[in-house]
Amino acid sequence: MPQEPLGYLDYLGEAFHASPPVKGMGPVPVNKVFLAGAFILGFANPGFWALAAALELLYLYFLSTHPAFQKYVQAKRLKIVDASRAEKINSMILSLDPASKRRLNALNANLNEITRLMNIDSDSASSFLRETKQRTLQQLSDVFLRMTFSKRVINDSLQNTDVDKIKREAKEIEMQIQKPGISEALARSHKANLEIQVRRITNIEKANENLDLVEAELKRIENQVLLIREEVAINRSPEALSSTLDRIGNTLSETEDWMSKHSDFFSKVAGSDDELPIPLPASSVSTEEAEDPGNVPPPQTPVSQ
């Protein structure tokens, strides 16, 4: 799920646990050291407790509401989120079979080539345009990875299921139900088992349909990226680059709309509704290298935009 915005209690907690680095000692929990010292001194003179409480309240309020400290906390949280996303990317990529890794590498190589070609005339493009381009390409790689991972999960499920065996068992159960003189309790048990097997067959049929849907969408993305790469290589005028950006954005929008229509399916396959991270295109992988499964680049920590 998307990260919830930080509230005052989050900043207050960070202020309480703040441990600024001290030369030669590393991070030191100054606030906690102060409270421990005040607690000990309070046994000699309880006035230290009242003074420490007042200073602590003043310190927490000042630090937790200071804009610079809040920016520090936000940056710290962003690093944690990025690390979590990078870990998820690593897990997803490592779980792919060699053919899927080659396919993902080939797409990232083409996206990277689009970036290279568009950057040749970067002086004529605004920084906003370049940032928009990079962010959109990264998002396109993200949805491709998510769909490739979903395809692997479906394939694994289908490979571990013998649909013919399930159908045979269903027929055998039907024959058991039709036997003369069968008790009501036994018939009820057989009917329950039959219902389970019928639902399993339905699920398998639905899984095969979803597999075809995912594969068709993956091919559409690959073909669209190839078309964009060819167009950028032919014409890199400012008007063409702007049109290319629109084309990339439309491709991403169409894919996101497609995934939205099948959101229930993707949430069940992923096992989570968490927002997936945005993997960076494989910047050092050429199209030829993408044909070799041993050349899958090590997943990188996403860079916040």
Side-chain angles (χ1 to χ4, degrees):
M1 297 175 60
Q3 292 294 317
E4 295 182 359
L6 293 172
Y8 178 70
L9 291 180
D10 295 306
Y11 296 119
L12 194 66
E14 288 289 343
F16 180 82
H17 296 290
S19 301
V22 177
K23 187 175 182 180
M25 300 179 61
V28 176
V30 178
N31 183 53
K32 294 179 180 178
V33 171
F34 164 75
L35 290 177
F39 178 76
I40 295 173
L41 291 174
F43 286 106
N45 185 346
F48 282 109
W49 290 341
L51 178 62
L55 292 175
E56 178 68 9
L57 291 175
L58 183 62
Y59 157 80
L60 290 177
Y61 175 78
F62 172 80
L63 190 60
S64 61
T65 58
H66 196 284
F69 180 76
Q70 291 185 347
K71 289 182 179 179
Y72 159 77
V73 175
Q74 292 165 7
K76 180 180 177 182
R77 180 66 61 88
L78 183 60
K79 289 181 179 179
I80 294 175
V81 172
D82 284 348
S84 175
R85 291 182 176 185
E87 183 178 354
K88 183 175 289 187
I89 289 174
N90 292 352
S91 177
M92 292 175 67
I93 293 179
L94 290 175
S95 70
L96 298 179
D97 58 274
S100 295
K101 290 179 180 178
R102 288 196 299 270
R103 195 172 184 178
L104 178 62
N105 264 355
L107 180 91
N108 282 340
N110 284 322
L111 291 175
N112 206 55
E113 180 63 11
I114 292 172
T115 299
R116 187 187 71 80
L117 291 172
M118 295 180 75
N119 283 341
I120 291 177
D121 302 312
S122 60
D123 290 341
S124 61
S126 67
S127 59
F128 173 77
L129 196 65
R130 291 196 297 271
E131 291 175 2
T132 301
K133 167 200 63 181
Q134 187 63 34
R135 183 165 58 249
T136 304
L137 292 176
Q138 289 176 356
Q139 290 173 342
L140 193 57
S141 180
D142 167 34
V143 295
F144 191 88
L145 172 59
R146 181 173 183 176
M147 294 172 66
T148 304
F149 176 78
S150 299
K151 181 183 176 182
R152 182 198 67 79
V153 174
I154 298 173
N155 274 324
D156 288 349
S157 176
L158 292 175
Q159 290 174 2
N160 294 326
T161 305
D162 188 343
V163 65
D164 292 331
K165 180 180 179 182
I166 296 175
K167 290 180 178 179
R168 287 196 303 269
E169 291 177 353
K171 289 182 179 180
E172 291 175 1
I173 295 173
E174 287 179 340
M175 294 175 59
Q176 292 291 331
I177 295 174
Q178 295 172 2
K179 280 186 177 180
I182 186 173
S183 67
E184 182 179 347
L186 184 56
R188 187 164 53 249
S189 178
H190 282 321
K191 289 179 180 178
N193 282 327
L194 179 60
E195 181 181 351
I196 292 173
Q197 297 299 72
V198 170
R199 289 177 62 184
R200 292 183 67 192
I201 294 172
T202 301
N203 287 338
I204 293 172
E205 293 173 349
K206 187 65 176 177
N208 279 306
E209 179 183 347
N210 288 331
L211 191 62
D212 292 338
L213 284 171
V214 171
E215 177 58 29
E217 187 63 13
L218 287 172
K219 287 183 178 179
R220 187 189 71 82
I221 294 175
E222 290 172 323
N223 290 333
Q224 187 67 49
V225 168
L226 287 173
L227 175 61
I228 292 171
R229 174 178 172 172
E230 292 164 358
E231 290 178 344
V232 173
I234 295 172
N235 188 353
R236 294 195 304 277
S237 66
E239 295 79 9
L241 292 180
S242 178
S243 176
T244 298
L245 273 179
D246 291 339
R247 181 76 63 83
I248 296 172
N250 290 337
T251 300
L252 178 61
S253 179
E254 290 171 3
T255 301
E256 290 178 338
D257 288 343
W258 185 90
M259 294 181 72
S260 178
K261 291 178 182 178
H262 301 83
S263 58
D264 291 342
F265 157 67
F266 278 101
S267 63
K268 290 176 182 177
V269 170
S272 171
D273 292 325
D274 290 351
E275 180 182 345
L276 287 178
I278 299 176
L280 295 177
S283 58
S284 60
V285 181
S286 65
T287 306
E288 292 76 18
E289 289 173 328
E291 299 300 322
D292 183 1
N295 281 323
V296 177
Q300 305 173 57
T301 301
V303 178
S304 60
Q305 298 298 327

